Amino acid sequence: MTKTLYKNAQVFTGKNEQFESLNFVMDDENGRFVQEKQGDQTVDLAGKYVMPGMINAHTHIVADPYGKIAQLGSPDATAPTATFLALNNLQKLLADGVTYIRDVGSIADIDIELAALERQGELFAPGIVASGSPLTMTGGHFSAGSYEVDGVDEVRKYARVLLKKGVNNIKLMATGGVSFDGETPHDIQLTEAELKAAVEEAHHKGRTANAHAQGTEGIQNALRAGVDSIEHAVYLDEKTIEMFLQKGTYIVPTLAAPWAINQNSETLPDFMVKKSIKLAQAHIQSIGKAAKAGVKLAMGTDSGTAFNNFDKNSSIELELMADAGVTNLQVLQAATVNAAQLLQIDQQAGTIEPDKMADFIVLDENPLTEIKVLQKEKTVYKKGKKVE
Ligand SMILES: [Zn+2]
Protein backbone atom coordinates (compact mmCIF):
# COMPACT_ATOMS: atom_id res chain seq x y z
CA MET A 1 0.00 0.00 0.00
CA THR A 2 1.61 3.25 -1.06
CA LYS A 3 0.92 6.62 0.40
CA THR A 4 1.91 9.99 -1.00
CA LEU A 5 2.76 13.01 1.09
CA TYR A 6 1.93 16.33 -0.55
CA LYS A 7 4.03 19.02 1.07
CA ASN A 8 4.73 22.70 0.84
CA ALA A 9 1.20 23.71 -0.22
CA GLN A 10 -1.18 26.48 0.76
CA VAL A 11 -4.44 24.65 1.45
CA PHE A 12 -8.09 25.71 1.68
CA THR A 13 -9.63 22.61 3.25
CA GLY A 14 -13.21 23.85 3.08
CA LYS A 15 -13.22 24.12 6.86
CA ASN A 16 -10.68 26.94 7.25
CA GLU A 17 -11.36 30.45 6.03
CA GLN A 18 -8.08 31.10 4.27
CA PHE A 19 -5.28 29.17 2.58
CA GLU A 20 -2.84 27.82 5.17
CA SER A 21 0.49 26.03 5.00
CA LEU A 22 -0.49 22.38 5.35
CA ASN A 23 0.76 18.96 4.32
CA PHE A 24 -1.63 16.18 3.44
CA VAL A 25 -1.28 12.49 2.76
CA MET A 26 -3.19 10.35 0.29
CA ASP A 27 -3.64 6.59 0.05
CA ASP A 28 -2.87 5.94 -3.61
CA GLU A 29 -4.83 2.71 -3.68
CA ASN A 30 -8.23 3.87 -2.50
CA GLY A 31 -7.78 7.51 -3.56
CA ARG A 32 -8.62 8.92 -0.16
CA PHE A 33 -6.93 11.35 2.20
CA VAL A 34 -5.52 9.63 5.30
CA GLN A 35 -4.66 10.59 8.85
CA GLU A 36 -0.96 9.60 8.55
CA LYS A 37 1.67 12.30 8.48
CA GLN A 38 4.25 10.43 6.37
CA GLY A 39 4.14 8.93 2.89
CA ASP A 40 6.20 6.39 0.94
CA GLN A 41 6.78 9.12 -1.60
CA THR A 42 6.63 12.90 -1.50
CA VAL A 43 5.32 15.50 -3.92
CA ASP A 44 6.59 19.04 -3.38
CA LEU A 45 3.81 21.46 -4.37
CA ALA A 46 6.23 24.41 -4.24
CA GLY A 47 3.91 26.81 -2.45
CA LYS A 48 0.99 26.28 -4.83
CA TYR A 49 -2.66 26.66 -3.77
CA VAL A 50 -4.80 23.57 -3.12
CA MET A 51 -8.57 23.48 -2.70
CA PRO A 52 -11.22 20.74 -2.81
CA GLY A 53 -12.53 19.82 -6.27
CA MET A 54 -15.50 21.91 -7.32
CA ILE A 55 -19.01 20.54 -7.01
CA ASN A 56 -21.51 21.69 -9.62
CA ALA A 57 -25.04 21.25 -8.25
CA HIS A 58 -26.92 21.94 -11.49
CA THR A 59 -26.00 20.35 -14.81
CA HIS A 60 -27.69 18.68 -17.80
CA ILE A 61 -24.93 16.39 -19.03
CA VAL A 62 -27.03 14.82 -21.80
CA ALA A 63 -27.33 18.18 -23.56
CA ASP A 64 -25.25 19.79 -26.28
CA PRO A 65 -24.98 23.49 -25.36
CA TYR A 66 -24.33 24.39 -28.99
CA GLY A 67 -27.32 22.42 -30.31
CA LYS A 68 -25.12 21.01 -33.08
CA ILE A 69 -25.46 17.34 -32.31
CA ALA A 70 -28.88 17.39 -30.70
CA GLN A 71 -31.11 20.04 -29.23
CA LEU A 72 -32.23 19.33 -25.67
CA GLY A 73 -35.66 17.73 -25.76
CA SER A 74 -35.57 17.14 -29.54
CA PRO A 75 -36.16 13.70 -31.06
CA ASP A 76 -32.50 13.68 -32.25
CA ALA A 77 -31.44 13.34 -28.64
CA THR A 78 -31.68 9.55 -28.67
CA ALA A 79 -30.22 7.55 -25.79
CA PRO A 80 -26.97 6.65 -27.62
CA THR A 81 -26.38 10.25 -28.76
CA ALA A 82 -27.23 11.64 -25.33
CA THR A 83 -24.90 9.12 -23.66
CA PHE A 84 -22.10 10.13 -26.03
CA LEU A 85 -22.69 13.80 -25.11
CA ALA A 86 -22.83 13.00 -21.40
CA LEU A 87 -19.50 11.13 -21.43
CA ASN A 88 -17.81 14.00 -23.28
CA ASN A 89 -19.36 16.62 -21.03
CA LEU A 90 -18.23 14.79 -17.90
CA GLN A 91 -14.61 14.86 -19.10
CA LYS A 92 -14.88 18.60 -19.80
CA LEU A 93 -16.25 19.23 -16.31
CA LEU A 94 -13.39 17.25 -14.80
CA ALA A 95 -10.79 19.26 -16.73
CA ASP A 96 -12.35 22.47 -15.38
CA GLY A 97 -11.89 21.14 -11.83
CA VAL A 98 -15.38 19.77 -11.19
CA THR A 99 -15.09 16.47 -9.32
CA TYR A 100 -18.77 15.98 -8.39
CA ILE A 101 -22.03 17.03 -10.00
CA ARG A 102 -25.74 16.89 -9.38
CA ASP A 103 -27.48 16.34 -12.68
CA VAL A 104 -31.01 17.75 -12.59
CA GLY A 105 -32.66 16.81 -15.85
CA SER A 106 -31.52 13.85 -17.87
CA ILE A 107 -33.21 11.56 -20.35
CA ALA A 108 -33.45 7.77 -20.56
CA ASP A 109 -32.02 7.45 -17.01
CA ILE A 110 -28.54 8.12 -18.42
CA ASP A 111 -27.36 10.04 -15.35
CA ILE A 112 -28.59 7.27 -13.03
CA GLU A 113 -26.65 4.60 -14.92
CA LEU A 114 -23.49 6.68 -15.33
CA ALA A 115 -23.62 7.51 -11.60
CA ALA A 116 -23.60 3.79 -10.80
CA LEU A 117 -20.70 3.12 -13.19
CA GLU A 118 -18.67 5.93 -11.61
CA ARG A 119 -19.43 4.63 -8.10
CA GLN A 120 -18.26 1.15 -9.12
CA GLY A 121 -15.00 2.60 -10.42
CA GLU A 122 -15.76 1.66 -14.04
CA LEU A 123 -16.00 5.25 -15.24
CA PHE A 124 -13.38 7.93 -14.50
CA ALA A 125 -15.53 11.03 -14.22
CA PRO A 126 -16.94 13.43 -11.65
CA GLY A 127 -19.14 11.68 -9.10
CA ILE A 128 -22.82 12.03 -10.02
CA VAL A 129 -25.88 12.69 -7.90
CA ALA A 130 -28.62 11.72 -10.34
CA SER A 131 -32.17 13.00 -10.64
CA GLY A 132 -33.26 11.09 -13.75
CA SER A 133 -36.11 12.88 -15.51
CA PRO A 134 -37.68 15.91 -13.81
CA LEU A 135 -41.34 16.12 -12.80
CA THR A 136 -43.29 18.87 -14.55
CA MET A 137 -46.98 19.63 -15.01
CA THR A 138 -48.59 18.72 -18.34
CA GLY A 139 -47.15 21.24 -20.80
CA GLY A 140 -44.84 22.63 -18.11
CA HIS A 141 -41.17 23.63 -18.18
CA PHE A 142 -39.04 21.08 -20.08
CA SER A 143 -42.07 18.84 -20.67
CA ALA A 144 -40.27 17.24 -23.65
CA GLY A 145 -37.77 15.60 -21.29
CA SER A 146 -39.78 15.26 -18.09
CA TYR A 147 -42.57 13.13 -16.65
CA GLU A 148 -45.73 15.20 -17.03
CA VAL A 149 -47.66 14.83 -13.79
CA ASP A 150 -50.84 16.46 -12.52
CA GLY A 151 -52.30 16.32 -9.07
CA VAL A 152 -50.83 15.14 -5.80
CA ASP A 153 -51.38 11.42 -6.48
CA GLU A 154 -49.65 11.45 -9.85
CA VAL A 155 -46.73 13.44 -8.48
CA ARG A 156 -46.39 10.96 -5.62
CA LYS A 157 -46.55 8.02 -8.02
CA TYR A 158 -43.79 9.34 -10.28
CA ALA A 159 -41.65 10.47 -7.37
CA ARG A 160 -41.79 6.84 -6.21
CA VAL A 161 -41.01 5.61 -9.74
CA LEU A 162 -37.88 7.80 -9.77
CA LEU A 163 -36.82 6.68 -6.31
CA LYS A 164 -37.28 3.05 -7.39
CA LYS A 165 -34.94 3.72 -10.32
CA GLY A 166 -32.36 4.94 -7.81
CA VAL A 167 -32.31 8.72 -8.05
CA ASN A 168 -30.70 10.65 -5.22
CA ASN A 169 -32.69 13.77 -5.91
CA ILE A 170 -36.06 14.65 -7.40
CA LYS A 171 -36.17 17.65 -9.71
CA LEU A 172 -39.41 19.61 -9.75
CA MET A 173 -40.60 22.43 -11.99
CA ALA A 174 -42.28 25.12 -9.88
CA THR A 175 -42.37 27.88 -12.52
CA GLY A 176 -41.84 28.55 -16.19
CA GLY A 177 -38.43 29.58 -17.47
CA VAL A 178 -36.31 31.08 -20.22
CA SER A 179 -35.28 28.21 -22.50
CA PHE A 180 -38.71 27.26 -23.85
CA ASP A 181 -41.32 29.32 -25.67
CA GLY A 182 -44.87 29.90 -24.42
CA GLU A 183 -44.15 30.43 -20.72
CA THR A 184 -42.64 33.07 -18.46
CA PRO A 185 -40.37 32.82 -15.41
CA HIS A 186 -43.32 34.06 -13.33
CA ASP A 187 -45.79 31.33 -14.37
CA ILE A 188 -46.79 29.11 -11.47
CA GLN A 189 -46.49 25.46 -12.54
CA LEU A 190 -46.53 22.57 -10.05
CA THR A 191 -48.61 23.74 -7.07
CA GLU A 192 -47.42 23.85 -3.49
CA ALA A 193 -49.39 20.69 -2.69
CA GLU A 194 -47.93 18.85 -5.70
CA LEU A 195 -44.39 19.94 -4.83
CA LYS A 196 -44.94 18.87 -1.24
CA ALA A 197 -45.95 15.35 -2.25
CA ALA A 198 -42.65 14.84 -4.08
CA VAL A 199 -40.62 16.41 -1.29
CA GLU A 200 -42.26 14.06 1.24
CA GLU A 201 -41.45 11.00 -0.86
CA ALA A 202 -37.82 12.10 -1.36
CA HIS A 203 -37.36 12.83 2.34
CA HIS A 204 -39.01 9.56 3.41
CA LYS A 205 -36.23 7.83 1.54
CA GLY A 206 -33.52 10.13 2.89
CA ARG A 207 -33.04 11.79 -0.49
CA THR A 208 -33.40 15.42 -1.57
CA ALA A 209 -35.78 17.34 -3.80
CA ASN A 210 -35.11 20.61 -5.60
CA ALA A 211 -37.20 23.01 -7.61
CA HIS A 212 -36.61 25.09 -10.69
CA ALA A 213 -38.22 28.34 -9.51
CA GLN A 214 -37.68 31.82 -10.96
CA GLY A 215 -40.67 34.04 -10.10
CA THR A 216 -41.26 35.08 -6.47
CA GLU A 217 -44.58 33.29 -5.98
CA GLY A 218 -43.30 29.98 -7.34
CA ILE A 219 -40.16 30.27 -5.22
CA GLN A 220 -42.33 30.75 -2.12
CA ASN A 221 -44.50 27.74 -3.05
CA ALA A 222 -41.39 25.58 -3.32
CA LEU A 223 -39.96 26.92 -0.05
CA ARG A 224 -43.19 26.16 1.80
CA ALA A 225 -43.24 22.71 0.19
CA GLY A 226 -39.85 22.06 1.83
CA VAL A 227 -37.47 21.56 -1.09
CA ASP A 228 -33.77 21.35 -0.25
CA SER A 229 -32.69 23.87 -2.87
CA ILE A 230 -34.22 26.43 -5.18
CA GLU A 231 -32.62 26.56 -8.60
CA HIS A 232 -32.11 29.98 -10.25
CA ALA A 233 -34.08 32.05 -7.66
CA VAL A 234 -34.30 35.01 -10.01
CA TYR A 235 -36.83 37.30 -8.34
CA LEU A 236 -36.29 37.60 -4.60
CA ASP A 237 -37.82 40.14 -2.23
CA GLU A 238 -37.07 40.67 1.48
CA LYS A 239 -39.86 38.36 2.59
CA THR A 240 -38.63 35.53 0.34
CA ILE A 241 -35.04 35.93 1.54
CA GLU A 242 -36.35 35.71 5.13
CA MET A 243 -38.14 32.44 4.21
CA PHE A 244 -34.86 30.98 2.89
CA LEU A 245 -33.13 31.86 6.16
CA GLN A 246 -35.91 30.37 8.29
CA LYS A 247 -36.08 27.13 6.31
CA GLY A 248 -32.31 26.80 5.75
CA THR A 249 -32.97 26.22 2.04
CA TYR A 250 -30.10 26.56 -0.43
CA ILE A 251 -30.01 28.65 -3.57
CA VAL A 252 -28.24 27.29 -6.65
CA PRO A 253 -27.94 30.52 -8.68
CA THR A 254 -26.83 29.33 -12.19
CA LEU A 255 -25.83 32.87 -13.25
CA ALA A 256 -23.95 31.36 -16.19
CA ALA A 257 -27.24 30.44 -17.90
CA PRO A 258 -28.54 33.94 -18.75
CA TRP A 259 -24.95 35.18 -19.12
CA ALA A 260 -24.30 32.61 -21.87
CA ILE A 261 -27.54 33.42 -23.69
CA ASN A 262 -26.94 37.17 -23.51
CA GLN A 263 -23.43 36.76 -24.98
CA ASN A 264 -24.90 34.95 -27.99
CA SER A 265 -28.10 36.87 -28.56
CA GLU A 266 -27.76 37.12 -32.38
CA THR A 267 -27.87 33.39 -32.94
CA LEU A 268 -30.59 32.41 -30.46
CA PRO A 269 -34.39 32.58 -30.79
CA ASP A 270 -36.00 35.91 -29.94
CA PHE A 271 -38.28 34.57 -27.21
CA MET A 272 -35.28 33.19 -25.31
CA VAL A 273 -33.08 36.27 -25.65
CA LYS A 274 -35.91 38.66 -24.66
CA LYS A 275 -36.68 36.74 -21.46
CA SER A 276 -33.02 36.28 -20.63
CA ILE A 277 -32.06 39.94 -21.05
CA LYS A 278 -35.09 40.96 -19.01
CA LEU A 279 -34.21 38.85 -16.01
CA ALA A 280 -30.39 39.00 -15.92
CA GLN A 281 -30.09 42.12 -13.79
CA ALA A 282 -32.80 41.08 -11.30
CA HIS A 283 -31.09 37.71 -10.99
CA ILE A 284 -27.70 39.23 -10.18
CA GLN A 285 -29.25 41.59 -7.61
CA SER A 286 -31.23 38.79 -5.96
CA ILE A 287 -28.17 36.57 -5.56
CA GLY A 288 -26.11 39.45 -4.16
CA LYS A 289 -28.82 40.29 -1.60
CA ALA A 290 -29.33 36.66 -0.62
CA ALA A 291 -25.57 36.20 -0.08
CA LYS A 292 -25.37 39.31 2.08
CA ALA A 293 -28.32 38.11 4.15
CA GLY A 294 -26.54 34.79 4.73
CA VAL A 295 -28.66 32.46 2.59
CA LYS A 296 -26.73 29.25 1.90
CA LEU A 297 -25.49 29.03 -1.68
CA ALA A 298 -24.33 26.03 -3.71
CA MET A 299 -22.61 26.49 -7.06
CA GLY A 300 -24.42 25.39 -10.20
CA THR A 301 -24.27 26.46 -13.83
CA ASP A 302 -27.22 24.87 -15.69
CA SER A 303 -24.60 23.74 -18.24
CA GLY A 304 -26.36 22.25 -21.25
CA THR A 305 -28.63 25.25 -21.81
CA ALA A 306 -27.83 27.46 -24.81
CA PHE A 307 -24.09 28.20 -25.12
CA ASN A 308 -23.71 27.25 -21.45
CA ASN A 309 -20.71 24.96 -21.82
CA PHE A 310 -19.08 22.31 -19.68
CA ASP A 311 -15.50 23.37 -20.48
CA LYS A 312 -15.20 26.60 -18.56
CA ASN A 313 -18.53 27.70 -17.15
CA SER A 314 -18.13 26.20 -13.69
CA SER A 315 -15.09 28.35 -13.02
CA ILE A 316 -16.77 31.27 -14.78
CA GLU A 317 -19.85 30.85 -12.55
CA LEU A 318 -17.60 31.56 -9.57
CA GLU A 319 -16.55 34.88 -11.11
CA LEU A 320 -20.20 35.75 -11.89
CA MET A 321 -21.15 35.02 -8.27
CA ALA A 322 -18.34 37.26 -7.01
CA ASP A 323 -19.44 40.02 -9.41
CA ALA A 324 -22.97 39.73 -7.96
CA GLY A 325 -21.61 40.55 -4.50
CA VAL A 326 -20.92 37.10 -3.06
CA THR A 327 -17.60 37.22 -1.16
CA ASN A 328 -14.76 35.09 -2.53
CA LEU A 329 -14.88 32.94 0.60
CA GLN A 330 -18.65 32.37 0.20
CA VAL A 331 -18.02 31.50 -3.46
CA LEU A 332 -15.42 28.85 -2.61
CA GLN A 333 -17.67 27.44 0.11
CA ALA A 334 -20.61 27.35 -2.33
CA ALA A 335 -18.47 25.32 -4.76
CA THR A 336 -17.16 22.88 -2.14
CA VAL A 337 -18.34 22.33 1.42
CA ASN A 338 -21.84 23.81 1.01
CA ALA A 339 -22.60 21.99 -2.21
CA ALA A 340 -21.42 18.74 -0.58
CA GLN A 341 -23.90 19.24 2.25
CA LEU A 342 -26.75 20.01 -0.13
CA LEU A 343 -25.95 16.92 -2.21
CA GLN A 344 -25.62 14.79 0.95
CA ILE A 345 -22.12 13.73 -0.09
CA ASP A 346 -20.33 15.56 2.72
CA GLN A 347 -19.21 12.28 4.31
CA GLN A 348 -16.95 11.70 1.32
CA ALA A 349 -16.46 14.96 -0.60
CA GLY A 350 -16.35 18.74 -0.35
CA THR A 351 -13.42 19.15 2.06
CA ILE A 352 -9.80 18.07 2.32
CA GLU A 353 -9.90 15.82 5.39
CA PRO A 354 -8.83 12.28 6.29
CA ASP A 355 -11.17 9.54 4.92
CA LYS A 356 -12.63 11.79 2.23
CA MET A 357 -11.99 11.20 -1.45
CA ALA A 358 -8.84 12.86 -2.70
CA ASP A 359 -10.66 15.25 -5.05
CA PHE A 360 -8.63 18.44 -5.28
CA ILE A 361 -7.34 21.22 -7.50
CA VAL A 362 -3.84 22.71 -7.56
CA LEU A 363 -3.61 26.37 -8.60
CA ASP A 364 -0.70 28.76 -9.12
CA GLU A 365 -2.45 31.69 -7.47
CA ASN A 366 -4.79 32.31 -4.55
CA PRO A 367 -8.49 32.27 -5.59
CA LEU A 368 -9.52 34.05 -2.38
CA THR A 369 -7.55 37.05 -3.64
CA GLU A 370 -8.75 36.75 -7.25
CA ILE A 371 -11.50 34.26 -8.03
CA LYS A 372 -10.70 34.36 -11.76
CA VAL A 373 -7.51 32.34 -11.22
CA LEU A 374 -9.76 29.26 -11.25
CA GLN A 375 -10.20 29.85 -14.98
CA LYS A 376 -6.45 29.56 -15.51
CA GLU A 377 -4.35 26.45 -15.85
CA LYS A 378 -4.79 24.00 -12.97
CA THR A 379 -4.08 20.42 -12.04
CA VAL A 380 -7.11 18.36 -11.06
CA TYR A 381 -7.16 15.16 -9.03
CA LYS A 382 -10.20 12.88 -8.85
CA LYS A 383 -10.10 10.08 -6.25
CA GLY A 384 -6.36 10.70 -6.09
CA LYS A 385 -5.85 10.24 -9.82
CA LYS A 386 -4.43 13.12 -11.82
CA VAL A 387 -6.70 14.24 -14.65
CA GLU A 388 -4.60 14.22 -17.84
ZN1 LIG B 1 -31.56 23.43 -15.40
Side-chain angles (χ1 to χ4, degrees):
M1 188 140 70
T2 58
K3 296 196 171 64
T4 305
L5 165 70
Y6 289 83
K7 68 166 195 184
N8 198 11
Q10 297 290 318
V11 184
F12 171 71
T13 61
K15 289 277 175 78
N16 51 3
E17 300 204 334
Q18 55 198 348
F19 283 82
E20 294 175 274
S21 261
L22 289 174
N23 294 340
F24 55 94
V25 179
M26 192 177 84
D27 182 325
D28 300 302
E29 252 154 74
N30 66 11
R32 286 181 185 263
F33 297 118
V34 291
Q35 201 71 254
E36 280 94 320
K37 298 275 174 263
Q38 298 301 325
D40 309 300
Q41 51 188 18
T42 302
V43 174
D44 187 339
L45 287 170
K48 289 193 180 186
Y49 295 85
V50 174
M51 61 173 276
M54 289 191 278
I55 299 168
N56 185 330
H58 192 127
T59 64
H60 300 280
I61 53 170
V62 295
D64 169 14
Y66 305 106
K68 268 198 325 216
I69 297 176
Q71 214 114 38
L72 189 59
S74 87
D76 307 340
T78 58
T81 297
T83 304
F84 167 79
L85 286 167
L87 291 171
N88 272 343
N89 290 335
L90 285 167
Q91 296 315 312
K92 290 173 180 167
L93 286 162
L94 205 50
D96 194 21
V98 176
T99 51
Y100 228 109
I101 62 163
R102 180 176 66 173
D103 204 65
V104 290
S106 192
I107 60 162
D109 302 333
I110 289 165
D111 61 339
I112 303 173
E113 296 193 24
L114 294 182
L117 290 168
E118 192 283 327
R119 266 197 311 275
Q120 293 156 17
E122 300 293 337
L123 171 66
F124 186 61
I128 302 168
V129 169
S131 313
S133 296
L135 302 185
T136 195
M137 68 173 200
T138 294
H141 187 67
F142 192 44
S143 52
S146 303
Y147 290 120
E148 292 182 301
V149 287
D150 302 295
V152 167
D153 291 345
E154 229 169 78
V155 171
R156 200 178 294 283
K157 168 79 188 176
Y158 278 88
R160 288 173 177 172
V161 166
L162 285 165
L163 290 163
K164 185 179 176 188
K165 286 171 182 278
V167 301
N168 288 93
N169 177 68
I170 294 177
K171 170 76 181 294
L172 302 158
M173 302 304 191
T175 69
V178 170
S179 296
F180 306 100
D181 202 6
E183 59 177 27
T184 84
H186 298 283
D187 295 0
I188 303 294
Q189 295 200 349
L190 289 176
T191 65
E192 183 182 332
E194 288 170 327
L195 295 165
K196 192 155 184 274
V199 171
E200 272 174 15
E201 293 305 318
H203 289 176
H204 285 169
K205 262 205 157 331
R207 312 281 161 81
T208 58
N210 68 342
H212 159 106
Q214 302 192 334
T216 312
E217 205 181 332
I219 293 170
Q220 290 187 1
N221 284 343
L223 284 166
R224 281 190 296 266
V227 296
D228 298 278
S229 66
I230 300 281
E231 315 298 302
H232 320 304
V234 175
Y235 295 98
L236 298 177
D237 56 16
E238 301 298 321
K239 182 189 163 199
T240 314
I241 288 175
E242 195 47 46
M243 286 173 74
F244 273 98
L245 292 170
Q246 270 171 17
K247 291 262 186 186
T249 313
Y250 285 81
I251 292 177
V252 181
T254 77
L255 296 165
W259 175 81
I261 293 171
N262 298 352
Q263 306 271 308
N264 294 281
S265 52
E266 319 80 46
T267 51
L268 289 168
D270 236 20
F271 76 83
M272 191 188 289
V273 174
K274 273 191 185 142
K275 286 194 279 184
S276 181
I277 286 173
K278 199 170 167 192
L279 65 66
Q281 210 45 43
H283 195 194
I284 290 165
Q285 280 169 4
S286 289
I287 299 309
K289 275 189 207 160
K292 278 196 188 71
V295 175
K296 291 187 283 187
L297 303 177
M299 187 270 281
T301 54
D302 214 355
S303 288
T305 56
F307 290 94
N308 191 354
N309 71 35
F310 295 83
D311 317 54
K312 278 268 161 259
N313 280 10
S314 302
S315 47
I316 286 174
E317 177 74 22
L318 302 191
E319 181 190 352
L320 297 174
M321 290 170 81
D323 287 348
V326 185
T327 68
N328 286 355
L329 177 61
Q330 281 178 309
V331 169
L332 286 197
Q333 289 167 335
T336 58
V337 60
N338 280 12
Q341 280 163 6
L342 170 62
L343 271 56
Q344 298 186 333
I345 54 169
D346 49 314
Q347 292 303 310
Q348 46 163 340
T351 57
I352 296 177
E353 285 182 290
D355 300 329
K356 298 215 179 171
M357 294 186 303
D359 293 352
F360 61 100
I361 307 175
V362 183
L363 300 157
D364 289 339
E365 296 165 76
N366 184 343
L368 281 179
T369 311
E370 174 51 70
I371 204 76
K372 277 201 268 192
V373 303
L374 269 149
Q375 294 165 39
K376 294 191 182 171
E377 205 163 308
K378 61 206 137 189
T379 311
V380 182
Y381 290 81
K382 172 65 193 167
K383 287 184 181 167
K385 241 180 96 184
K386 195 169 170 179
V387 178
E388 302 293 347

